[in-house]
Amino acid sequence: SYDRGATVAGVVGVGRLITGMDRGLQGMCVNERRHLIVPPHLGYGSIGVAGLIPPDATLYFDVIMLDIWNKNDKLQITTLSKPERCNRSVENSDFVRYHYNGTLLDGTPFDSSYSKDSTYDTYVGTGWLIKGMDQGLLGMCAGEKRSIIIPPFLAYGEKGYGTVIPPQASLVFSVLLVDFHNPKDGVFLEHLEVPESCKRRAVTGDFVRYHYNGTLMDGTLFDSSYSRNHTYDTYIGKGYIIPGMDQGLQGVCVGERRRVVVPPHLAYGENGAGDKIPGSAVLIFDVHVIDFHNPADPVEIETVYRPEGCNLTTRQRDFVRYHYNCSLLDGTRLFSSHDYEKPQEVTLGTNKVIEGLNSGLLNMCAGERRVLIIPPHLGHGESGARGVPGSAVLRFEVELISMEEGVPEGYLFIWHGDPPANLYEQMDLNKDGEIPADEFSTFIKTQVAEGKGRLMPSSDPEKVIADMFRNQDRNQDGKITSEELKLKSDEDQEKIHEEL
């Protein structure tokens, strides 16, 4: 048979071979070698074969068994390894990606996907594969390894395939299923950890900050936000990310950990992405949601404690002292006033603190405690600040220590009632026709002490009075004349008339 370059194929035990060969092949295993001595009466007898085998010749055969099969054979499937978790197994019409080594029954290799450095990608049960492989892949889990032995009538049959697969050859495939999906698949969600408290769930139009690890179904890592030490920040439901993640992040809670399994038609499709995401790959994202907000969100205020009999509350322009702890929503501590000797001080409405904190400090009583959730557009915005990530939602715990009633914008001092009709004469304490700085300061302090007016709240009233004096000393000669002295309200009225 070596001279002819082709193996001999035949059915044993049905009279199609000489009797000696029929008997001599019985019980042989694949790759077994035998030396058969066939006497004439079990060979070609007294007739022989004209020109080739003399009459009454004893025949010697050196035989190696390459393949055995029976028409009643079925697939032989052996599971070599299987992952512990298997949410779904292969069904007809699924699209599979698998690696394989293909050999004949005697171990002769004929093909391998590994040599091509690419998986074999195809549909199952739709006639694109030989029947034996169509059947042999059914029920497999992603990550499972199988040995599949296919008889020739479920493979390439009497014709074989090219020069690599002989006619009537059984095939042995060692298969590793890398991943699979169905074109009808949607996103699969697995809730790994959901916080006990979830006041709001993310919806379309929300801006979400999250960390993730992205892997293929075989566990190969293709991307990670942790490696960049920076969250992935994006709007959801608006097409800024792959459709599968747009869908998979809907309904998340702050602090939730979620696994999102995305089929390729909701990810990067047949083409894949770069050199790390193959075509038709199923993607798995393990997501940790740090925070989210909506550009329309106001400051969220929760009153933790409010004193009884609270009548006086903070307004814009009031001077307040307060303690605070500031953190991210994941609990990361950022800043605290307790790290300093004194409480924080600010005049509300003067743009000295972020807008959300200013809003959250309004309408508070002394001694009141609140929790403020401040979205980034009322905090430090997309750019963040030193120690504050961009687009971060901030959590403030605030306690109002004290407050001083403020004055309107542009004013340094206001009267509680009408000012004296003869203001200049009363301010000129020594009646010499001019008011120096010390005389002006004494008069203003007296009005404050008697409750007739109040200064702009500040930690340094001397500086406020000095600023007031400079504003009135219009020629900066160190004294105020009667012509120079004007009430702020009168100045404002004059400006209105000028504009008119």
Side-chain angles (χ1 to χ4, degrees):
S1 66
Y2 293 98
D3 295 339
R4 295 194 295 272
T7 56
V8 176
V11 181
V12 175
V14 295
R16 295 184 184 178
L17 302 173
I18 59 173
T19 304
M21 187 64 80
D22 250 350
R23 296 178 182 177
L25 295 174
Q26 296 285 336
M28 285 190 76
C29 300
V30 172
N31 284 331
E32 181 178 342
R33 295 175 180 269
R34 282 186 179 178
H35 183 62
L36 307 180
I37 303 173
V38 181
H41 64 281
L42 297 178
Y44 293 95
S46 59
I47 300 175
V49 176
L52 185 63
I53 298 175
D56 297 317
T58 298
L59 306 179
Y60 294 79
F61 289 92
D62 288 312
V63 178
I64 179 171
M65 182 66 67
L66 301 179
D67 197 343
I68 311 167
W69 60 273
N70 188 286
K71 62 182 180 180
N72 295 320
D73 282 349
K74 297 180 180 179
L75 289 180
Q76 296 180 51
I77 298 175
T78 304
T79 300
L80 304 178
S81 66
K82 192 172 184 176
E84 292 182 6
R85 292 167 53 88
C86 183
N87 294 323
R88 187 165 82 82
S89 58
V90 174
E91 302 174 1
N92 280 325
S93 79
D94 283 344
F95 189 88
V96 296
R97 296 196 312 119
Y98 62 93
H99 272 302
Y100 68 90
N101 286 317
T103 67
L104 303 180
L105 206 57
D106 67 348
T108 302
F110 63 81
D111 196 13
S112 173
S113 63
Y114 295 98
S115 65
K116 303 180 183 70
D117 198 28
S118 177
T119 54
Y120 192 81
D121 308 341
T122 187
Y123 287 95
V124 173
T126 56
W128 290 21
L129 293 165
I130 57 174
K131 292 181 179 179
M133 189 60 86
D134 253 348
Q135 298 174 22
L137 293 170
L138 293 176
M140 287 191 78
C141 302
E144 183 176 342
K145 291 182 179 180
R146 279 185 179 180
S147 172
I148 305 172
I149 301 177
I150 305 175
F153 54 84
L154 295 176
Y156 294 98
E158 297 180 358
K159 295 182 179 179
Y161 186 82
T163 59
V164 293
I165 299 178
Q168 301 290 15
S170 300
L171 306 182
V172 180
F173 287 93
S174 177
V175 175
L176 167 62
L177 185 63
V178 174
D179 75 15
F180 69 97
H181 72 280
N182 194 283
K184 297 179 181 178
D185 282 348
V187 171
F188 176 78
L189 301 180
E190 187 175 351
H191 303 278
L192 304 178
E193 183 182 325
V194 181
E196 292 183 7
S197 174
C198 183
K199 295 181 179 178
R200 185 164 85 82
R201 295 178 179 271
V203 297
T204 293
D206 283 343
F207 190 88
V208 184
R209 297 195 314 123
Y210 60 96
H211 272 301
Y212 70 90
N213 285 320
T215 62
L216 305 179
M217 284 191 81
D218 65 356
T220 301
L221 183 72
F222 63 81
D223 193 16
S224 173
S225 63
Y226 296 98
S227 66
R228 296 186 290 274
N229 197 29
H230 195 287
T231 54
Y232 192 82
D233 308 339
T234 186
Y235 288 95
I236 63 170
K238 302 180 75 171
Y240 292 167
I241 48 180
I242 58 174
M245 285 299 282
D246 253 349
Q247 297 175 25
L249 291 171
Q250 296 285 334
V252 293
C253 300
V254 171
E256 181 176 347
R257 294 180 186 272
R258 177 181 285 193
R259 176 167 292 158
V260 184
V261 181
V262 183
H265 52 275
L266 296 176
Y268 295 99
E270 296 180 3
N271 297 324
D275 56 0
K276 291 189 175 181
I277 300 179
S280 301
V282 177
L283 307 182
I284 300 176
F285 292 91
D286 284 325
V287 173
H288 180 205
V289 178
I290 303 302
D291 66 30
F292 65 86
H293 73 280
N294 192 281
D297 283 348
V299 175
E300 181 184 328
I301 299 175
E302 178 187 353
T303 300
V304 178
Y305 169 75
R306 188 177 177 93
E308 293 183 5
C310 173
N311 296 318
L312 183 63
T313 59
T314 53
R315 297 178 296 175
Q316 297 285 27
R317 310 298 301 175
D318 284 351
F319 180 76
V320 297
R321 294 179 178 85
Y322 62 97
H323 271 304
Y324 73 91
N325 292 314
C326 176
S327 63
L328 302 179
L329 291 194
D330 66 354
T332 302
R333 183 181 183 276
L334 297 180
F335 313 107
S336 175
S337 63
H338 297 282
D339 294 337
Y340 304 95
E341 294 182 0
K342 297 180 179 180
Q344 188 80 3
E345 298 178 343
V346 71
T347 299
L348 298 176
T350 56
N351 298 318
K352 299 298 183 182
V353 294
I354 57 175
E355 184 178 349
L357 180 56
N358 193 93
S359 299
L361 289 169
L362 292 174
N363 302 312
M364 287 189 78
C365 302
E368 184 174 342
R369 297 195 300 273
R370 288 178 174 179
V371 173
L372 312 177
I373 306 300
I374 301 177
H377 53 275
L378 299 175
H380 292 286
E382 294 181 8
S383 302
R386 188 173 63 180
V388 180
S391 300
V393 180
L394 301 179
R395 183 180 190 273
F396 277 86
E397 297 172 350
V398 294
E399 179 182 5
L400 188 64
I401 305 300
S402 65
M403 57 178 287
E404 297 178 34
E405 194 174 359
V407 298
E409 185 175 359
Y411 285 71
L412 298 175
F413 173 89
I414 62 169
W415 296 94
H416 289 161
D418 292 331
N422 53 349
L423 177 60
Y424 189 85
E425 287 77 4
Q426 290 195 30
M427 194 176 289
D428 183 9
L429 301 179
N430 62 6
K431 309 304 180 186
D432 64 352
E434 59 185 29
I435 303 170
D438 59 340
E439 205 169 54
F440 180 86
S441 176
T442 300
F443 176 80
I444 294 298
K445 288 178 180 177
T446 301
Q447 307 311 302
V448 172
E450 294 177 355
K452 296 178 180 179
R454 67 177 183 273
L455 291 166
M456 182 184 75
S458 169
S459 57
D460 187 1
E462 295 290 349
K463 181 178 183 303
V464 176
I465 294 173
D467 288 343
M468 290 174 64
F469 182 82
R470 277 194 298 273
N471 290 342
Q472 297 295 327
D473 182 15
R474 301 177 193 280
N475 61 6
Q476 304 299 307
D477 63 353
K479 58 182 182 292
I480 299 172
T481 64
S482 58
E483 291 78 16
E484 289 176 318
L485 184 67
K486 290 183 180 180
L487 294 173
K488 180 76 167 58
S489 57
D490 293 338
E491 290 180 344
D492 292 344
Q493 193 63 35
E494 286 179 6
K495 288 181 180 178
I496 291 174
H497 286 304
E498 289 172 3
E499 290 171 359
L500 289 174

